[in-house]
Amino acid sequence: MRENASTPRSAGTRHRLTAMIVAVLTVVGLASVVVGAGQANARIGATQVGRQQFYVNGCGMPNVKVRAWKRPGNYKTVIMLDGMRAQYDYNGWEINTNIQEMVRSGVNVVEPIGGPASFYTDWNAPSNFNNQRYRYRWNCVITNTLIRGLDARGFRVGNGKYAIMGLSMGGNAALVIGAQNRRNFDRAASLSGYNFLSAPGMHTMIRLAMLDVDPKPWNSDSMWGPPWDARWYQNDPFLNINRMHGMKIFVGSGNGLFGKYNALPNVFDDLFKGSTLEFLAFTQAKAFQAAAALQGLPVMSYDAVGTHAWGYWQDMVWNAKARGFFH
């Protein structure tokens, strides 16, 4: 029997089994979760090759600043999304990593700036807890005004489609944006992202995490509505796997244990924030990979001994490149 011709009963059994595995893993991972950021090693401006800075229309938000690196002859362009504590001056990828250096070896790098706690999505309303002056429209920016701005500047190269990657909240956003915009994206990567937002306890975890992000507190109900709203499911990577067939998908995470990038003076944050947060990402990554395997979707994976910290995310990007993710 062909793989896609399984009986309704067997398919239902597989889905129930996956749901049970995911529920157990996620509940375990939720224990003592708080928001962490990892260490920072300032690298702003370190990569000069083909560097550009420009602004794109914010779809009702203030215009969005973009920093990018492009070299003639490069074969791919990747959009890099930041994490929960995204800043308004520079993207965390430039502040903390050297991934901009990929421009020297075939990959143009694009980094939109801003959007703390945004999940890079279109919100239902401005966050009323912190008196936000405008409604987040990040999905509109990334899939419309940013793409048009990149096209106009010659960033659409190679086979004519973009890659998108993100860390933490930007990881699950990258998978959903890529899956729902196949005309522009043919590969997506989630690094320590939350790839099963419908799992037990995830709504509460996200609500608590957003309360602690500056300018705090953010109201998660202003994003996709209450936990039972359909928009939570529409933005869940786990429930968008069926749209990812034919894409290259990369999922990376640490296991929450101390690794080579964990050292003084970051031990406190790494232990009490980074470890628990990364273990949650690890359980979510494994759940997503299990569901993808059941649905016949190949996933490139990367498992690190490490916590929720920039050094590990930098390694994941270079690992993806070395293994042909961008080709």
PDB file of all heavy atoms in Angstrom, residues 52-66:
ATOM      1  N   GLN A  52      24.378  46.888   3.630  1.00  0.00           N
ATOM      2  CA  GLN A  52      23.387  47.903   3.301  1.00  0.00           C
ATOM      3  C   GLN A  52      22.505  48.163   4.510  1.00  0.00           C
ATOM      4  O   GLN A  52      22.337  47.302   5.375  1.00  0.00           O
ATOM      5  CB  GLN A  52      22.497  47.448   2.139  1.00  0.00           C
ATOM      6  CG  GLN A  52      23.217  47.046   0.876  1.00  0.00           C
ATOM      7  CD  GLN A  52      22.248  46.607  -0.207  1.00  0.00           C
ATOM      8  OE1 GLN A  52      21.066  46.960  -0.199  1.00  0.00           O
ATOM      9  NE2 GLN A  52      22.737  45.826  -1.154  1.00  0.00           N
ATOM     10  N   GLN A  53      21.927  49.339   4.550  1.00  0.00           N
ATOM     11  CA  GLN A  53      20.888  49.648   5.539  1.00  0.00           C
ATOM     12  C   GLN A  53      19.791  50.419   4.841  1.00  0.00           C
ATOM     13  O   GLN A  53      20.056  51.378   4.124  1.00  0.00           O
ATOM     14  CB  GLN A  53      21.454  50.455   6.707  1.00  0.00           C
ATOM     15  CG  GLN A  53      20.401  50.805   7.769  1.00  0.00           C
ATOM     16  CD  GLN A  53      21.002  51.437   9.007  1.00  0.00           C
ATOM     17  OE1 GLN A  53      21.853  50.848   9.674  1.00  0.00           O
ATOM     18  NE2 GLN A  53      20.577  52.663   9.323  1.00  0.00           N
ATOM     19  N   PHE A  54      18.560  49.985   5.045  1.00  0.00           N
ATOM     20  CA  PHE A  54      17.431  50.663   4.417  1.00  0.00           C
ATOM     21  C   PHE A  54      16.186  50.439   5.278  1.00  0.00           C
ATOM     22  O   PHE A  54      16.218  49.690   6.263  1.00  0.00           O
ATOM     23  CB  PHE A  54      17.212  50.161   2.984  1.00  0.00           C
ATOM     24  CG  PHE A  54      17.047  48.667   2.854  1.00  0.00           C
ATOM     25  CD1 PHE A  54      15.798  48.067   2.902  1.00  0.00           C
ATOM     26  CD2 PHE A  54      18.168  47.853   2.664  1.00  0.00           C
ATOM     27  CE1 PHE A  54      15.647  46.691   2.773  1.00  0.00           C
ATOM     28  CE2 PHE A  54      18.033  46.470   2.535  1.00  0.00           C
ATOM     29  CZ  PHE A  54      16.769  45.890   2.582  1.00  0.00           C
ATOM     30  N   TYR A  55      15.105  51.094   4.914  1.00  0.00           N
ATOM     31  CA  TYR A  55      13.844  50.981   5.643  1.00  0.00           C
ATOM     32  C   TYR A  55      12.753  50.485   4.700  1.00  0.00           C
ATOM     33  O   TYR A  55      12.761  50.807   3.502  1.00  0.00           O
ATOM     34  CB  TYR A  55      13.435  52.333   6.236  1.00  0.00           C
ATOM     35  CG  TYR A  55      14.294  52.773   7.400  1.00  0.00           C
ATOM     36  CD1 TYR A  55      15.530  53.374   7.177  1.00  0.00           C
ATOM     37  CD2 TYR A  55      13.888  52.578   8.712  1.00  0.00           C
ATOM     38  CE1 TYR A  55      16.337  53.776   8.233  1.00  0.00           C
ATOM     39  CE2 TYR A  55      14.683  52.980   9.780  1.00  0.00           C
ATOM     40  CZ  TYR A  55      15.904  53.573   9.529  1.00  0.00           C
ATOM     41  OH  TYR A  55      16.700  53.971  10.586  1.00  0.00           O
ATOM     42  N   VAL A  56      11.811  49.719   5.241  1.00  0.00           N
ATOM     43  CA  VAL A  56      10.649  49.292   4.464  1.00  0.00           C
ATOM     44  C   VAL A  56       9.387  49.720   5.204  1.00  0.00           C
ATOM     45  O   VAL A  56       9.390  49.926   6.417  1.00  0.00           O
ATOM     46  CB  VAL A  56      10.636  47.764   4.234  1.00  0.00           C
ATOM     47  CG1 VAL A  56      11.853  47.344   3.414  1.00  0.00           C
ATOM     48  CG2 VAL A  56      10.580  46.989   5.551  1.00  0.00           C
ATOM     49  N   ASN A  57       8.312  49.856   4.450  1.00  0.00           N
ATOM     50  CA  ASN A  57       7.030  50.271   5.013  1.00  0.00           C
ATOM     51  C   ASN A  57       6.584  49.291   6.085  1.00  0.00           C
ATOM     52  O   ASN A  57       6.674  48.070   5.924  1.00  0.00           O
ATOM     53  CB  ASN A  57       5.986  50.351   3.902  1.00  0.00           C
ATOM     54  CG  ASN A  57       4.660  50.903   4.389  1.00  0.00           C
ATOM     55  OD1 ASN A  57       3.904  50.220   5.067  1.00  0.00           O
ATOM     56  ND2 ASN A  57       4.388  52.140   4.058  1.00  0.00           N
ATOM     57  N   GLY A  58       6.096  49.805   7.211  1.00  0.00           N
ATOM     58  CA  GLY A  58       5.739  48.976   8.355  1.00  0.00           C
ATOM     59  C   GLY A  58       4.321  48.453   8.358  1.00  0.00           C
ATOM     60  O   GLY A  58       3.881  47.923   9.383  1.00  0.00           O
ATOM     61  N   CYS A  59       3.571  48.592   7.266  1.00  0.00           N
ATOM     62  CA  CYS A  59       2.192  48.076   7.197  1.00  0.00           C
ATOM     63  C   CYS A  59       1.326  48.632   8.331  1.00  0.00           C
ATOM     64  O   CYS A  59       0.517  47.918   8.936  1.00  0.00           O
ATOM     65  CB  CYS A  59       2.167  46.557   7.244  1.00  0.00           C
ATOM     66  SG  CYS A  59       2.929  45.735   5.844  1.00  0.00           S
ATOM     67  N   GLY A  60       1.508  49.904   8.668  1.00  0.00           N
ATOM     68  CA  GLY A  60       0.774  50.513   9.769  1.00  0.00           C
ATOM     69  C   GLY A  60       1.606  50.676  11.019  1.00  0.00           C
ATOM     70  O   GLY A  60       1.250  51.458  11.907  1.00  0.00           O
ATOM     71  N   MET A  61       2.703  49.942  11.130  1.00  0.00           N
ATOM     72  CA  MET A  61       3.683  50.170  12.186  1.00  0.00           C
ATOM     73  C   MET A  61       4.654  51.235  11.688  1.00  0.00           C
ATOM     74  O   MET A  61       4.647  51.613  10.518  1.00  0.00           O
ATOM     75  CB  MET A  61       4.481  48.889  12.479  1.00  0.00           C
ATOM     76  CG  MET A  61       3.675  47.668  12.843  1.00  0.00           C
ATOM     77  SD  MET A  61       4.747  46.293  13.382  1.00  0.00           S
ATOM     78  CE  MET A  61       5.797  46.016  11.941  1.00  0.00           C
ATOM     79  N   PRO A  62       5.533  51.746  12.559  1.00  0.00           N
ATOM     80  CA  PRO A  62       6.619  52.595  12.063  1.00  0.00           C
ATOM     81  C   PRO A  62       7.441  51.826  11.031  1.00  0.00           C
ATOM     82  O   PRO A  62       7.508  50.595  11.059  1.00  0.00           O
ATOM     83  CB  PRO A  62       7.436  52.887  13.329  1.00  0.00           C
ATOM     84  CG  PRO A  62       6.465  52.729  14.453  1.00  0.00           C
ATOM     85  CD  PRO A  62       5.530  51.642  14.031  1.00  0.00           C
ATOM     86  N   ASN A  63       8.064  52.550  10.110  1.00  0.00           N
ATOM     87  CA  ASN A  63       8.901  51.888   9.114  1.00  0.00           C
ATOM     88  C   ASN A  63       9.940  51.004   9.798  1.00  0.00           C
ATOM     89  O   ASN A  63      10.448  51.335  10.872  1.00  0.00           O
ATOM     90  CB  ASN A  63       9.591  52.918   8.228  1.00  0.00           C
ATOM     91  CG  ASN A  63       8.621  53.588   7.272  1.00  0.00           C
ATOM     92  OD1 ASN A  63       7.499  53.110   7.068  1.00  0.00           O
ATOM     93  ND2 ASN A  63       9.037  54.693   6.678  1.00  0.00           N
ATOM     94  N   VAL A  64      10.258  49.882   9.170  1.00  0.00           N
ATOM     95  CA  VAL A  64      11.154  48.889   9.758  1.00  0.00           C
ATOM     96  C   VAL A  64      12.553  49.035   9.164  1.00  0.00           C
ATOM     97  O   VAL A  64      12.732  49.018   7.940  1.00  0.00           O
ATOM     98  CB  VAL A  64      10.620  47.470   9.499  1.00  0.00           C
ATOM     99  CG1 VAL A  64      11.634  46.415   9.941  1.00  0.00           C
ATOM    100  CG2 VAL A  64       9.288  47.267  10.234  1.00  0.00           C
ATOM    101  N   LYS A  65      13.542  49.177  10.061  1.00  0.00           N
ATOM    102  CA  LYS A  65      14.932  49.239   9.612  1.00  0.00           C
ATOM    103  C   LYS A  65      15.431  47.840   9.287  1.00  0.00           C
ATOM    104  O   LYS A  65      15.130  46.873  10.001  1.00  0.00           O
ATOM    105  CB  LYS A  65      15.812  49.868  10.692  1.00  0.00           C
ATOM    106  CG  LYS A  65      17.279  50.016  10.269  1.00  0.00           C
ATOM    107  CD  LYS A  65      18.076  50.899  11.231  1.00  0.00           C
ATOM    108  CE  LYS A  65      18.390  50.208  12.524  1.00  0.00           C
ATOM    109  NZ  LYS A  65      19.349  50.980  13.369  1.00  0.00           N
ATOM    110  N   VAL A  66      16.196  47.748   8.205  1.00  0.00           N
ATOM    111  CA  VAL A  66      16.752  46.476   7.760  1.00  0.00           C
ATOM    112  C   VAL A  66      18.243  46.666   7.509  1.00  0.00           C
ATOM    113  O   VAL A  66      18.661  47.643   6.883  1.00  0.00           O
ATOM    114  CB  VAL A  66      16.076  45.993   6.458  1.00  0.00           C
ATOM    115  CG1 VAL A  66      16.668  44.658   6.005  1.00  0.00           C
ATOM    116  CG2 VAL A  66      14.566  45.887   6.633  1.00  0.00           C
TER     117      VAL A  66
END
